[in-house]
Amino acid sequence: MRIPLSITDNIQEWLVSMMSESAASYVAMIIVALIYLGIFAIAGLFLVLIERRVAAWFQLRIGPNRVGFQGLLQTMADALKLVSKELTGTDRADKFLYNLAPYFVIISALMALGVMPFTKEFQAFDINIGIFFLIAISSIGVIGILLGGWASNNKFALIGAMRSGVQTISYELSVGLSLLTMILLTGSLQLSEIVEVQKGGWLIVQGHIPAIIAFMIYMIAGTAETNRAPFDMVEAESELGAGFHTEYSGMKFAYFFLAEFINMFLIAAIAATVFFGAWLSPFGITESIPWLGVFWFLAKTLVLVFLMMWFRWTFPRLRVDQLLTLEWKYLLPINLVNIVIMAFIVWQKLIIQI
């Protein structure tokens, strides 16, 4: 049986027939990058529209309904507005770091998107340390937030950036440990292999109660890591104006705004991959219709995105002490105990197999 090639390999094979192999590899990378940039932009605008619709639904409002059919073009109009707005700043800002900060946030989100398995074929890079790569690359985004807050030379932006550093570093532990719990069950860091293991059943079912606990902790910690309510201390409007991006405008502000929604999509996509079988259909394997896998992947991801939006429009914002207490006194100890229980379950399965 022929092993399915990734989208990168397929494009490179097509280009090799027209140019040298080295040139084809470079051109293939550029084409794949442009494809993912398109996905990035469309997904960001679509998620903003969904957020507004969900918020309106929860608060018994109408939501966007003027620009385009049922307001479908409202986010496009907002994007054009941001593109045309003047890029302002402060005289005392560190110009180089101030301008560099948004690119840290946007590039880290784009790099993480490149390893997500939409289907067997639609994955830019299937590396054997996929989960490790995602955890590592997601840590880079907070550098952009810290740089933006500090370089703005604004006390509110600096406070927001400091809060972001504390919050992200704290909740990264729970995100990493909850994923590590599932890695114990699969025995692999490679995302495609994690999906293959789930052909016999989703990991949240195979892992029993420890997998359910890991999923719950992951969703709570993932919501906190993306700085979304009820963990939005970084952008607490009533206290800090707009937080770390107070001094940003135009496209630089749009980068921060867009990255938040893409990071939310990534958190949901990782959960859909690790816990719910990514592109695998719940009714059987869709090998005969591979592009149907994109539907299942997006359906699972959007359900989890809706869950994160539900958090935002339901719970009040936590205080800083409550936010850190939740992580260090509750989530982290539960996670550590949960890993031990999962290790025991995996050990029992190995004993039975022997």
Side-chain angles (χ1 to χ4, degrees), residues 49-67 70-72 74:
L49 180 64
I50 292 177
E51 175 87 85
R52 289 174 170 178
R53 283 292 186 186
V54 170
W57 181 49
F58 273 99
Q59 297 175 355
L60 301 179
R61 294 187 288 109
I62 296 173
N65 65 342
R66 298 295 181 90
V67 184
Q70 294 295 313
L72 288 175
Q74 179 63 56

Side-chain angles (χ1 to χ4, degrees), residues 98-270:
Y98 175 84
N99 293 320
L100 181 65
Y103 295 99
F104 268 98
V105 179
I106 207 84
I107 290 172
S108 65
L110 183 59
M111 289 174 69
L113 193 66
V115 298
M116 295 311 305
F118 290 88
T119 65
K120 231 177 196 180
E121 297 82 10
F122 198 166
Q123 184 178 10
F125 301 105
D126 183 21
I127 52 180
N128 60 357
I129 53 167
I131 294 291
F132 179 75
F133 176 82
L134 285 170
I135 294 171
I137 209 70
S138 64
S139 304
I140 295 176
V142 73
I143 296 175
I145 294 174
L146 289 169
L147 285 179
W150 183 83
S152 296
N153 196 28
N154 179 299
K155 62 183 178 182
F156 298 114
L158 181 58
I159 291 169
M162 291 171 66
R163 286 182 177 183
S164 177
V166 171
Q167 183 172 324
T168 304
I169 291 168
S170 298
Y171 281 87
E172 268 181 355
L173 291 170
S174 284
V175 168
L177 289 173
S178 57
L179 292 175
L180 182 60
T181 305
M182 306 313 294
I183 290 166
L184 283 174
L185 189 60
T186 60
S188 175
L189 290 166
Q190 191 167 354
L191 291 169
S192 60
E193 289 188 10
I194 291 172
V195 176
E196 288 295 314
V197 169
Q198 298 180 73
K199 285 185 175 179
W202 293 347
L203 285 184
I204 199 165
V205 177
Q206 293 185 41
H208 307 295
I209 293 175
I212 297 171
I213 294 172
F215 170 69
M216 293 171 67
I217 292 174
Y218 174 82
M219 289 304 297
I220 294 169
T223 304
E225 197 174 353
T226 53
N227 300 324
R228 289 180 58 82
F231 306 100
D232 59 337
M233 298 303 302
V234 179
E235 306 171 28
E237 295 88 351
S238 56
E239 304 166 25
L240 305 178
F244 64 91
H245 53 65
T246 300
E247 298 293 347
Y248 284 91
S249 68
M251 277 308 295
K252 291 174 186 173
F253 167 78
Y255 286 158
F256 283 116
F257 187 68
L258 187 62
E260 178 186 322
F261 283 90
I262 295 299
N263 285 330
M264 177 176 62
F265 177 84
L266 287 169
I267 290 290
I270 294 168

